[in-house]
Amino acid sequence: MLRTLSARILISFAVLTLTFVITIATLIRNTSEVESEVDLIGNGYVKAALAAGDLELRQEAISTYLDQQIPDEKTVTAEAEHLRTRNRLRNDALDATRSAVEAVAPLTVDRDEHFYNEKLTPLLDVVRKSIDALQPAWQKAVAKPTIGVQSDVIIQLKADEKRVEAQVRSLTELLRTHLFGTDDEHPATVQALLHNQHRIRNYTVYVGAAAVMLGLFVTMWAVFNLRPLRRLRDGARRVAAGDYASRIDERGPTEVGELAREFNSMARAVQEREHELVRSERLAAVGKMAAMITHEVRNPLSSIGLNTELLVDELDADADEARSLCRSITREVDRLTAITEEYLAFARLPKPKIAREPVNAMVQALAQFVRQDLGTKQVELATDLDAGDPVALVDASQLRQCLVNLVRNATEAVSAKGKGKVTLRTRRADGRVAIEVEDDGVGIAPEVLPRLFDPFFSTKDSGSGLGLALTQQIVKDHGGDLAVASEVGRGTTFTLNLPAAS
C-alpha cells in the first residue's frame, strides 16, 4: 500500500488528522471534567454554603433576640411579632439551604463524591429534625409572650436554640471546609479542579509538542518522497537541452517509478529517432556523394580497362613482365568498378516491391547456391527451417541481396578462425518472420557493435563499409529491423525481423 505516492501522502495527512482529532477529543473531555468541577463548586456547594451562611445568620439573630432583646420589648404584640418573624425567617433560610443542598445531588451522580451522601445530607437532616422539634415551643412562646420576663418556655427555647445554633455552625463550617479547605490542604473538589487544570496544561504542552514533531516528520517525509519529481524535472531539462542519453533513477513510489520508466522509454525513443534522423541524413548525403563519385569514376575506369586490353594486344610475345603489369591493372580496374557499382547500388536503392514470399524456399535456394563455395573455404552451411513454412511480405530480390551480404560476412568471420559453421534459420513469432544468420566465427568486439551499421565503417582492410548499411536500409524499407548479437571468440548472429503475411 505504501508503494504509491498518493497512499503515502494520504496516510501522512490521515495521521496528522487523527492526531488532531485525538488532541481535540482529549481536550474536550478534560475541559468537560473541569466544567463539571466548576459547575459542582459554583452552582452546587457555593450556593449551599451561601444558603447555610444565611441560615447561620438567622440562627444567630434568634439567639441574640432571646438573650438580649426580649427584656427590652414594650408590648406583648411586638414580642409575639418578633418571635414569629425570626422563626419564620430561620425556617425560610433552612428551606433555602435544603433546596441548595438538594441541587447538589444531580451534579454528583457521575462523580466519586462521598461528601454529599456521607456528611452533608445527614448533618442537614439533623438540623432539620432539631428545628422541627422546637416548633411547638415556638408556638407556645408566640401564643403567651411575657414582656421583660424570662419565662420557662423562653429559657428552655433559648437552651435548645443554642444546640441548634451549634449544629447550624457545624453545617456551615463543613461546607466552608469542603469548599476552601484548611490551612494545611485544599479540599477534594478544589484538588480535583487543580488536577484537571494541570492535566490539561501538561497534555496541551506535550501533545502540542508531539504534534509539532509529527508535523515536521510528515513534512520531511513528504519532501523526501517528492524528491524523485525533482529528478524527473532535471531529467526533462537535460533531454530538452539535447542530452538524449540522460536517464533517471527508476526507484521511488509506484507512480514516480512508472513515470521515470516511461520518461526513460521516451528518452530512448527520442535518442533512437535522433540517431535515425542523423543516419538518414548521412545516408542521403553519402548517396549523393556516391552517385557523383561513381559518375565521375566509371567512364575513366572503362577507358583505362579498354586501353589496357588494347595495350596487351600490342605487346610482343616475349613481353611477359609488361603483360603481368597489364593484368594487375585490369584486376585493380575490375575491383574499382565493383566498388563503384556497389556505391551506385547504394545511391540508387529502389523502393522494395512487396509481395508474399515463402521464406523457407528462398533460404533453401540461397543455401544450395552458396554451399559449394563455402565448402571450398572449410565452412559448413546448415539450415534450420520453421516447419510452418512462414510467408513474409518482402521484395525477394532485395531480401536475397541482404542474405548474401550476411552469409558472406559470416563466411569471412569463420574463415578468419580457420573453419566452422554457418546456420540459416527461419521462425515465426508474434506476427513477424525472423531469419537468422548464425556463425561460430571470431565474433565482434563490443566497442565495434554501435558503429557496425554506419556507412563506410568496416573492420576489413578491403571492405567498403556499405554492405551492412545497405542491408539495414533494405530491411527498414520493408518495415522490419535488423539486430545483431555477438560474443568475441564464440560467434555472431544477425536476425532479420520482417512483416509476416496474414
Side-chain angles (χ1 to χ4, degrees), residues 2 63 121 192 203 283 304 318 320 339 363 403 417 436 460:
L2 292 179
S63 298
T121 302
Y203 185 83
L283 288 177
I304 294 173
D318 58 348
D320 294 334
I339 291 176
V363 172
L403 293 176
K417 195 176 181 179
E436 296 180 357
K460 296 176 289 187

Side-chain angles (χ1 to χ4, degrees), residues 238-252:
R238 289 194 297 270
V239 171
D243 184 10
Y244 303 120
S246 176
R247 297 293 182 268
I248 299 175
D249 188 0
E250 297 179 0
R251 295 176 301 174

Side-chain angles (χ1 to χ4, degrees), residues 314-367:
E314 297 296 328
L315 291 175
D316 296 333
D318 58 348
D320 294 334
E321 185 177 357
R323 290 179 183 277
S324 177
L325 290 175
C326 288
R327 284 194 297 271
S328 297
I329 294 173
T330 300
R331 284 196 302 271
E332 291 301 318
V333 167
D334 291 341
R335 187 178 67 82
L336 291 175
T337 301
I339 291 176
T340 58
E341 291 297 330
E342 189 172 1
Y343 284 0
L344 187 62
F346 181 77
R348 298 178 179 177
L349 182 65
K351 292 293 182 181
K353 299 177 181 180
I354 303 298
R356 295 169 57 91
E357 296 289 343
V359 175
N360 286 354
M362 185 188 311
V363 172
Q364 191 66 45
L366 175 65

Side-chain angles (χ1 to χ4, degrees), residues 52-281:
D54 185 58
L55 175 61
E56 185 179 12
L57 291 176
R58 298 303 179 184
Q59 186 64 48
E60 289 177 354
I62 289 174
S63 298
T64 301
Y65 181 76
L66 294 176
D67 285 340
Q68 301 174 10
Q69 296 177 353
I70 281 184
D72 297 332
E73 291 291 350
K74 302 300 183 181
T75 64
V76 175
T77 304
E79 181 179 344
E81 182 61 28
H82 288 156
L83 288 172
R84 186 183 301 109
T85 300
R86 281 166 172 72
N87 185 40
R88 178 176 58 80
L89 292 175
R90 192 267 307 276
N91 290 340
D92 291 344
L94 178 61
D95 292 337
T97 303
R98 166 65 70 174
S99 298
V101 170
E102 290 177 350
V104 176
L107 304 178
T108 61
V109 172
D110 298 328
R111 303 176 57 83
D112 186 16
E113 184 65 57
H114 302 290
F115 170 74
Y116 175 79
N117 293 321
E118 295 180 0
K119 295 181 179 180
L120 182 60
T121 302
L123 184 55
L124 184 61
D125 291 339
V126 170
V127 174
R128 166 56 75 180
K129 290 179 180 179
S130 297
I131 293 176
D132 289 344
L134 294 178
Q135 292 309 304
W138 274 96
Q139 292 175 1
K140 289 180 181 181
V142 172
K144 295 180 179 183
T146 57
I147 300 174
V149 178
Q150 294 286 346
S151 65
D152 293 338
V153 174
I154 295 299
I155 294 173
Q156 183 61 42
L157 185 60
K158 184 166 57 174
D160 292 337
E161 287 294 345
K162 289 294 183 181
R163 290 193 298 271
V164 173
E165 183 179 356
Q167 294 173 354
V168 171
R169 188 175 292 110
S170 298
L171 176 63
T172 55
E173 186 64 28
L174 179 64
L175 282 169
R176 289 194 191 97
T177 303
H178 187 71
L179 277 173
F180 305 110
T182 63
D183 295 337
D184 297 331
E185 62 177 347
H186 293 293
T189 51
V190 176
Q191 288 181 356
L193 181 61
L194 293 175
H195 173 72
N196 283 328
Q197 178 186 359
H198 294 161
R199 184 168 59 179
I200 290 176
R201 182 186 61 192
N202 294 336
Y203 185 83
T204 302
V205 172
Y206 295 144
V207 175
V212 170
M213 295 299 295
L214 180 61
L216 292 175
F217 172 76
V218 170
T219 301
M220 294 176 61
W221 192 40
V223 171
F224 175 78
N225 283 290
L226 292 175
R227 287 175 59 190
L229 297 180
R230 187 182 306 170
R231 295 202 302 268
L232 289 175
R233 181 198 63 189
D234 295 340
R237 289 178 177 176
R238 289 194 297 270
V239 171
D243 184 10
Y244 303 120
S246 176
R247 297 293 182 268
I248 299 175
D249 188 0
E250 297 179 0
R251 295 176 301 174
T254 302
E255 301 96 329
V256 176
E258 292 177 355
L259 186 59
R261 285 190 290 272
E262 293 298 327
F263 180 87
N264 290 336
S265 299
M266 179 199 70
R268 282 190 291 270
V270 172
Q271 184 180 18
E272 291 174 0
R273 290 182 182 179
E274 181 72 12
H275 179 74
E276 184 62 25
L277 179 61
V278 172
R279 182 177 179 277
S280 298
E281 293 176 350

